[in-house]
Amino acid sequence: MRVTLLLLIFLIATAPVWAQSDSLVSVKGIITTGGSPLPGATVTLINTQFGTATDTTGAFQFVDVPTGTYQLSVSLIGYESYRKTVKLTAGQVINLSVDLRESARNLNEVVVTGARATELRKSPVAIAVITRKEMNLNANTNAVDAVLKGVPGLSAVTTGPNVSKPFIRGLGYNRVLTLYNGVRQEGQQWGDEHGIEVDQYGIERAEVVKGPASLIYGSDAVAGVINFIPYVPRGAEGKINGDVVGEYHTNNGMIGTSLGLSHVKSGWKSAFRVSNKLATAYTNPVDGRVYGTAYRELNLSAMTGVEKRWGSSFLYATLYDNLQEIPDGSRDSLTRRFTHQVLESDEDDIKQRPIVPDADLRTYRINPLHQHIQHYRLFTRNRFIIGKSDLSVLAGFQQSVRREYNHPTATDQPGLYIRLNTLNYDLKYNLPIWKGVEPTLGVNGMYQTNKNLNGTDFPIPDYSLLDIGSFLFVKKTLGPVDISGGIRYDTRLIDWVSQYVQPNLATGFDQLVYAPANPTAVPQFAAYRRPFTGVSGSLGATYNISERLLVKANLSRGYRAPNITEIGSNGLDPGARIVYLGNRNFQPEFSLQTDIGFIGYLNDMDVSVELFNNVIDNYIYQARLYDDAGQPVVIVPGNFTYQYQQSKAQLYGAEFSLNLHPRTSKWLTINNSLALIRGLNRNPRLIEQQGDAARYLPFIPPLHGRSEVRATFGPDKGRLTALYARAELDYYGAQNRFYGVDNTETATPGYALVNAGFGGTINNRQNRPLLQLFFQVDNLFNVAYQSHLNRLKYFEYYTASPTGRFGMYNMGRNASVKVIVPF
């Protein structure tokens, strides 16, 4: 880590010296379509950090670009991409005029998630791109929700509005790798009760890889990857640019604010953002206000760096601080009003808990039983141009500190208190193109340590993890066929010493120690040291039938080493209300997935069909633990006990989309999507014992359909532009194919939600954006429903209810307004 920091300091310190020798050039122009200005088009100099979006007049400008030869790219969804080689010489001013033609939508869009930046049309793997513009059209309470509404096959397990764990095609947790600008997110992904530590206001776009991505990223990417890409500084040279965001939600009183600043000059770029969110308990027509779902969240992020002829070097830092209440679902048995815990677990009686006062349901104050999650990230991204090749170097450090306060009589004493430190590294060397073959060599991995601090519950041990993997990736174009693939080898070592639990005389609770000093100490974690290895890879091709018709096929093998809870857990996770028991004999998961896709971008419509079949060996899942008499094992009163199991599994399904954009009515767009996923448990012994209850996998989303009608209208110039109105139907079918052993899951009825919104841009007298306004109403008819992936559905203490309803329901009607003021 010290070497990396010294290298970074050296690069930043010497870059101004190199910059003094550069001759700088200005590039500007106008982007039009059919002669009319085209605002919002992306203009970039490929393989550099020079990039911007055209303003309302279609104009763009780059200032102080080093001399040299570049590829200028202009793109906008719905138009053919434009590329031009520009040679910049000293003293020259380039003035371009480009007219884009309507085209095959976003097939030519470039994605950066993977070994090499590539066009969507050339990738045989299913990849979806969600821009900030699309995210703004929906009311979002976290970064995951901002993405999943636009990607068929993407879902989330939720524990309230601010806690969403992404699932791709029925797989989640450590099987979905979350990235922040290419850096893998490490923050106890196995936990249910906290979300992804990413600022939703600072994300410019997200790229979602659907399917095993172990070839490039190693373990934990067997389901796919979500790469959250932060804002890239752009705007007028030498001036402070930025925006102010204000947002309000009526359902839970969520107030979101964000301020972003950026500066660009002579190849140097800097950006800073501070965001804050706070919310009360959310409400629905069945439960009223749901106690334990309020939260407060603070995010800080900053970046600085330089782009020159030799390459680029950037430094990023983020801070995430979240206070998140812990819901437990306890109620009065007759009135169904929420109650709260006031005594410790050994004295607590669910039936004698006091009812939560109304004032505590409507307050922004966080109740004493809550989580405090902090995540810090510092990393550097560097790219060095070496002749006709280039080397990318990423190195970073992140720390996740997680406290869960679950002691009502000692509110300052955390029950769970763990600190996870992770060093990440990633090197990719793009070799020179040889006879049309584009090879990439890569090495990446991490070193990780986990430490239990001053807590009283110890679900996982103190441990260390060393992970390293190397890969070879190649791609080549043969006429209308684009081929890509490669192979990878991974090794991961997990290690810990024996650990014991003994009384802590200073606190009156338990403590975790390596050497017991008390005769009452009991073993908690026996020593463990084991390496896991795996070979993964993929091979796929895209056949370009025409500019607008594509057929894709890909075969990939994924690999995932068991995570720490699956092999080492032995204790209560208070936020999840579950005692987890691991299995030290688990083998790595290996998946073999086949993907076939058809994409057609026609004159009046876009259509896509994606089919997948995924067979997993050694699939790991949770199951409730019962004793020999068939009774549930209760280790901690009021909490479930689960033990991990392993078997073969199969997931298959399809995703369809049909988007209509008639040329005769250019103001009208009708978007439709449908996703179907089936998850089968291939454990014949368990099925023989339990029957249909064991035939399916847990956490499989039901049939999901989405239809949106959007109208855009208004002049291209004037005080009001980019006006839109939209209506949406979000349909979820009944889920009757679930993992029902021991009532782990239950059937979920289908439901349909109607959403609507409108918005636009208000310009000043110079036709420059003054503010953007987005108004949205979700669940317009206040439907009472429970998502099958809503964990709160199972937070229930009674077997009978006077209302006939059990568990907690999802959010009711929610109106939101968002205002963005650029400057």
Side-chain angles (χ1 to χ4, degrees):
M1 183 64 183
R2 292 180 179 177
V3 174
T4 302
L5 292 176
L6 289 173
L7 175 62
L8 176 67
I9 294 170
F10 172 77
L11 290 174
I12 294 178
T14 56
V17 177
W18 297 338
Q20 293 175 3
S21 63
D22 286 343
S23 298
L24 305 177
V25 183
S26 294
V27 179
K28 60 182 179 179
I30 299 290
I31 309 301
T32 59
T33 179
S36 300
L38 191 61
T42 300
V43 185
T44 59
L45 296 178
I46 294 177
N47 291 329
T48 77
Q49 290 292 322
F50 287 98
T52 188
T54 56
D55 60 22
T56 53
T57 66
F60 75 92
Q61 184 175 12
F62 300 132
V63 179
D64 294 339
V65 182
T67 58
T69 301
Y70 299 90
Q71 284 286 319
L72 178 84
S73 170
V74 183
S75 63
L76 181 64
I77 293 177
Y79 298 86
E80 289 185 2
S81 296
Y82 172 88
R83 286 196 181 188
K84 177 182 176 65
T85 301
V86 291
K87 186 175 182 180
L88 308 183
T89 57
Q92 185 182 22
V93 176
I94 301 294
N95 199 333
L96 299 172
S97 179
V98 178
D99 193 77
L100 295 187
R101 296 184 300 172
E102 292 189 31
S103 76
R105 307 293 281 180
N106 63 345
L107 278 178
N108 297 320
E109 187 167 1
V110 176
V111 293
V112 299
T113 304
R116 287 176 179 256
T118 187
E119 293 181 1
L120 275 175
R121 69 178 308 118
K122 293 180 178 294
S123 173
V125 179
I127 301 177
V129 177
I130 305 298
T131 65
R132 188 178 184 184
K133 178 180 178 181
E134 294 167 350
M135 296 180 196
N136 283 332
L137 295 179
N138 296 287
N140 307 303
T141 55
N142 59 73
V144 172
D145 286 349
V147 175
L148 66 85
K149 293 180 180 179
V151 181
L154 184 63
S155 56
V157 167
T158 63
T159 312
N162 200 42
V163 180
S164 296
K165 288 288 188 180
F167 271 54
I168 297 177
R169 292 174 168 175
L171 297 174
Y173 299 109
N174 283 75
R175 298 182 181 93
V176 172
L177 185 59
T178 304
L179 307 177
Y180 178 82
N181 205 12
V183 180
R184 60 182 295 148
Q185 184 86 3
E186 291 296 322
Q188 311 287 3
Q189 295 94 316
W190 47 266
D192 286 298
E193 66 285 354
H194 64 282
I196 301 299
E197 300 90 346
V198 172
D199 180 9
Q200 69 186 77
Y201 296 119
I203 300 304
E204 184 170 52
R205 61 189 266 137
E207 297 178 356
V208 181
V209 180
K210 296 189 288 185
S214 300
L215 169 62
I216 307 301
Y217 299 102
S219 181
D220 305 344
V222 292
V225 173
I226 302 178
N227 189 8
F228 293 101
I229 301 172
Y231 173 76
V232 177
R234 60 173 63 94
E237 188 82 4
K239 296 182 179 180
I240 299 294
N241 302 281
D243 63 67
V244 175
V245 180
E247 185 173 15
Y248 179 74
H249 292 195
T250 60
N251 185 284
N252 60 350
M254 198 280 282
I255 301 172
T257 55
S258 182
L259 168 66
L261 302 172
S262 65
H263 183 264
V264 179
K265 185 172 179 61
S266 302
W268 285 85
K269 299 190 176 189
S270 300
F272 171 81
R273 180 168 292 276
V274 55
S275 303
N276 187 70
K277 294 190 301 183
L278 65 160
T280 66
Y282 79 89
T283 183
N284 63 56
V286 172
D287 306 306
R289 292 205 172 268
V290 178
Y291 182 65
T293 57
Y295 59 89
R296 305 174 74 101
E297 179 181 307
L298 172 68
N299 286 278
L300 296 173
S301 61
M303 63 83 66
T304 187
V306 64
E307 171 102 18
K308 293 296 180 181
R309 296 175 64 182
W310 49 266
S312 61
S313 180
F314 290 91
L315 179 68
Y316 298 81
T318 66
L319 176 150
Y320 172 96
D321 192 290
N322 181 28
L323 296 175
Q324 182 84 42
E325 291 185 344
I326 303 174
D328 70 0
S330 69
R331 306 173 188 254
D332 177 74
S333 60
L334 296 178
T335 65
R336 297 290 287 174
R337 294 181 63 184
F338 287 102
T339 60
H340 63 107
Q341 183 181 357
V342 294
L343 299 174
E344 293 298 325
S345 58
D346 56 345
E347 300 177 352
D348 183 39
D349 183 350
I350 295 294
K351 296 181 180 180
Q352 300 301 319
R353 288 184 178 184
I355 292 175
V356 178
D358 288 342
D360 288 351
L361 292 171
R362 296 179 176 272
T363 181
Y364 287 97
R365 184 182 65 252
I366 302 299
N367 75 49
L369 305 187
H370 66 275
Q371 305 175 70
H372 187 189
I373 301 168
Q374 296 166 296
H375 191 276
Y376 310 95
R377 186 189 291 110
L378 178 68
F379 67 98
T380 174
R381 292 179 60 92
N382 307 278
R383 179 172 177 268
F384 306 100
I385 300 173
I386 309 170
K388 295 183 178 181
S389 62
D390 64 88
L391 173 67
S392 297
V393 180
L394 183 152
F397 169 79
Q398 56 186 305
Q399 181 180 86
S400 174
V401 179
R402 189 165 150 226
R403 304 177 184 91
E404 294 186 0
Y405 295 92
N406 64 325
H407 292 292
T409 62
T411 54
D412 293 332
Q413 172 62 56
L416 182 69
Y417 190 178
I418 53 180
R419 181 184 63 211
L420 181 70
N421 291 337
T422 306
L423 289 168
N424 302 95
Y425 61 92
D426 189 325
L427 291 86
K428 295 188 181 76
Y429 181 50
N430 292 322
L431 283 75
I433 299 175
W434 179 74
K435 294 185 177 181
V437 177
E438 302 177 45
T440 300
L441 292 173
V443 177
N444 50 29
M446 62 181 174
Y447 175 69
Q448 189 171 84
T449 59
N450 182 79
K451 177 71 174 176
N452 284 276
L453 302 177
N454 184 32
T456 64
D457 301 301
F458 314 102
I460 60 173
D462 296 350
Y463 71 90
S464 64
L465 180 153
L466 178 62
D467 183 269
I468 185 171
S470 58
F471 68 88
L472 169 65
F473 173 85
V474 296
K475 64 177 183 177
K476 180 178 176 60
T477 297
L478 297 172
V481 180
D482 299 302
I483 303 173
S484 61
I487 191 169
R488 178 188 179 98
Y489 179 77
D490 277 283
T491 181
R492 171 174 290 187
L493 177 65
I494 301 178
D495 179 36
W496 68 77
V497 298
S498 295
Q499 294 157 53
Y500 304 82
V501 170
Q502 68 181 28
N504 185 337
L505 299 180
T507 66
F509 295 98
D510 288 336
Q511 63 179 337
L512 189 71
V513 297
Y514 296 154
N518 190 306
T520 62
V522 296
Q524 181 76 0
F525 305 106
Y528 181 89
R529 179 181 176 87
R530 182 179 174 185
F532 295 92
T533 60
V535 176
S536 54
S538 70
L539 178 63
T542 299
Y543 177 55
N544 297 267
I545 301 174
S546 68
E547 176 69 18
R548 295 175 177 267
L549 297 176
L550 308 177
V551 176
K552 298 188 175 191
N554 192 70
L555 180 66
S556 52
R557 172 181 166 90
Y559 151 80
R560 184 180 78 90
N563 67 38
I564 188 62
T565 61
E566 293 164 347
I567 57 175
S569 59
N570 182 28
L572 172 68
D573 184 346
R577 294 181 56 242
I578 294 175
V579 174
Y580 293 104
L581 301 178
N583 189 322
R584 299 160 65 93
N585 298 315
F586 276 162
Q587 300 299 316
E589 289 183 349
F590 290 97
S591 67
L592 185 64
Q593 179 162 319
T594 304
D595 287 89
I596 299 175
F598 169 80
I599 301 175
Y601 285 112
L602 309 178
N603 290 328
D604 295 303
M605 71 177 69
D606 311 333
V607 60
S608 70
V609 179
E610 296 176 344
L611 309 174
F612 71 93
N613 182 65
N614 190 8
V615 177
I616 304 177
D617 290 322
N618 306 321
Y619 176 81
I620 300 172
Y621 61 99
Q622 300 172 12
R624 194 176 298 179
L625 186 62
Y626 279 67
D627 60 22
D628 294 337
Q631 298 300 313
V633 173
V634 178
I635 297 177
V636 179
N639 296 269
F640 301 113
T641 301
Y642 279 76
Q643 187 169 43
Y644 289 95
Q645 300 186 29
Q646 196 165 44
S647 69
K648 193 169 185 176
Q650 179 184 11
L651 297 101
Y652 63 92
E655 295 141 12
F656 308 90
S657 67
L658 176 63
N659 303 323
L660 306 177
H661 44 86
R663 288 173 296 172
T664 56
S665 303
K666 293 186 177 181
W667 54 271
L668 177 64
T669 303
I670 303 175
N671 298 321
N672 305 277
S673 65
L674 188 69
L676 174 66
I677 301 170
R678 292 285 183 263
L680 304 178
N681 191 336
R682 297 301 190 187
N683 185 338
R685 185 176 63 85
L686 185 63
I687 294 174
E688 182 179 354
Q689 293 174 350
Q690 302 290 341
D692 288 342
R695 292 190 184 279
Y696 304 101
L697 300 178
F699 292 128
I700 301 300
L703 175 72
H704 180 205
R706 188 169 179 262
S707 294
E708 177 202 32
V709 178
R710 188 188 308 174
T712 56
F713 45 88
D716 293 330
K717 295 182 180 180
R719 302 302 295 271
L720 295 176
T721 60
L723 301 177
Y724 74 90
R726 61 191 295 267
E728 179 183 75
L729 177 66
D730 219 3
Y731 169 76
Y732 290 84
Q735 182 54 290
N736 297 312
R737 299 176 174 88
F738 55 89
Y739 184 75
V741 176
D742 306 324
N743 289 320
T744 299
E745 291 185 341
T746 58
T748 305
Y751 56 91
L753 306 177
V754 175
N755 312 314
F758 65 86
T761 301
I762 301 176
N763 298 319
N764 60 19
R765 293 181 179 179
Q766 289 74 41
N767 288 327
R768 303 284 182 179
L770 188 63
L771 64 86
Q772 294 175 280
L773 176 66
F774 305 90
F775 181 78
Q776 177 78 10
V777 180
D778 287 335
N779 194 0
L780 182 64
F781 297 110
N782 204 24
V783 174
Y785 72 98
Q786 289 176 312
S787 164
H788 188 70
L789 301 186
N790 174 18
R791 290 182 59 249
L792 298 183
K793 173 188 174 185
Y794 300 99
F795 283 24
E796 179 61 61
Y797 286 89
Y798 305 106
T799 58
S801 167
T803 64
R805 298 175 185 259
F806 297 90
M808 289 178 273
Y809 281 66
N810 286 70
M811 183 180 285
R813 182 188 299 113
N814 180 41
S816 67
V817 60
K818 180 189 292 184
V819 177
I820 302 176
V821 181
F823 59 88

